[in-house]
């Protein structure tokens, strides 16, 4: 399985000739043509994680590819979607998807908290969306760790990585950072990853990691 990082919060996961796309949002350039789209995951309703044009482009080429998301996103889409909740396990082609969490991390008391589902792909790759939801009882081979957000304090992000103890990790949700800020936040996440004996990778848009 290969994980390709795109700008900000978007991931592309490839296995045995098929592809899973996670959170194709507004900060991400148009995705390359995909020959065999097994499915799409949208963790929550905020536009940096999904926009209609990204979903439309994927569905025009692959109309039968399932889309797994929250109720709010499903209600906003003009294409079919499957609503998932924490604790559910589904199949998307050859991929096994297990969902965790349930709620977006708080940005501010004045801003409503929305639903959010973290996803564990093939019991190996974990992406929490906009949350610190820990996949309790699971050994995580690779963690896509949020590096920056309006709701994120880097110390709390470090505690999240310490709680998950992944064997490998890389930063995501990083579109708000300058180059200097990105380097600083990566160094903090690297430290947290290494405390559990793991390895942290500096992945830029277009870089990949093979499990």
């Amino acid at each position: 399985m290969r994980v390709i990082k795109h700008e900000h919060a978007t991931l592309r996961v490839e296995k045995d000739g098929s592809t899973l796309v996670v959170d194709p949002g507004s900060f991400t350039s148009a995705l390359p043509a995909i020959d065999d789209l097994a499915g799409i995951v949208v963790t929550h309703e905020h536009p940096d994680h999904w926009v209609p044009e990204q979903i439309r482009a994927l569905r025009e080429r692959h109309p039968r590819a399932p889309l797994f998301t929250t109720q709010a996103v499903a209600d906003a889409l003009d294409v079919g979607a499957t609503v998932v909740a924490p604790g559910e396990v589904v199949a998307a082609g050859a991929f096994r998807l297990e969902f965790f969490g349930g709620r977006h991390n708080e940005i501010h008391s004045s801003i409503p908290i929305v639903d959010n589902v973290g996803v564990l792909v093939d019991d190996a790759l974990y992406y929490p969306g906009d949350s610190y939801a820990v996949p309790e009882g699971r050994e995580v081979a690779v963690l896509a760790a949020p590096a920056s957000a309006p709701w994120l304090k880097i110390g709390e992000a470090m505690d999240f990585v310490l709680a998950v103890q992944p064997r490998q990790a890389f930063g995501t949700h990083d579109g708000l950072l300058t180059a200097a800020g990105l380097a600083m936040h990566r160094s903090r996440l690297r430290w947290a990853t290494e405390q559990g004996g793991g390895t942290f990778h500096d992945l830029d848009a277009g870089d990949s990691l093979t499990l």
Side-chain angles (χ1 to χ4, degrees), residues 58-186:
L58 291 167
R59 273 295 184 76
E60 283 177 355
R61 187 177 175 92
H62 306 277
R64 296 185 179 180
L67 191 159
F68 304 99
T69 189
T70 64
Q71 186 67 60
V73 177
D75 290 345
L77 285 166
D78 57 2
V79 296
T82 298
V83 175
V84 290
E88 289 191 43
V89 178
V90 301
F95 293 99
R96 179 185 187 274
L97 310 177
E98 184 174 3
F99 297 95
F100 294 86
R103 302 295 280 168
H104 191 286
N105 214 52
E106 184 180 66
I107 300 171
H108 186 263
S109 59
S110 66
I111 300 173
I113 297 176
V114 302
D115 290 339
N116 176 95
V117 285
V119 61
L120 179 65
V121 181
D122 284 355
D123 292 314
L125 167 68
Y126 182 58
Y127 173 55
D130 281 8
S131 80
Y132 295 133
V134 175
E136 299 290 352
R138 305 295 190 276
E139 292 186 6
V140 174
V142 177
L143 173 66
S148 175
W151 48 269
L152 185 149
K153 177 181 176 182
I154 193 60
E156 294 173 349
M158 293 165 69
D159 285 340
F160 169 65
V161 175
L162 289 168
V164 176
Q165 291 191 312
R167 295 198 294 275
Q168 300 183 81
F170 64 92
T172 187
H173 209 280
D174 51 13
L176 301 178
L177 291 170
T178 64
L182 179 60
M184 182 181 70
H185 282 216
R186 282 175 172 173

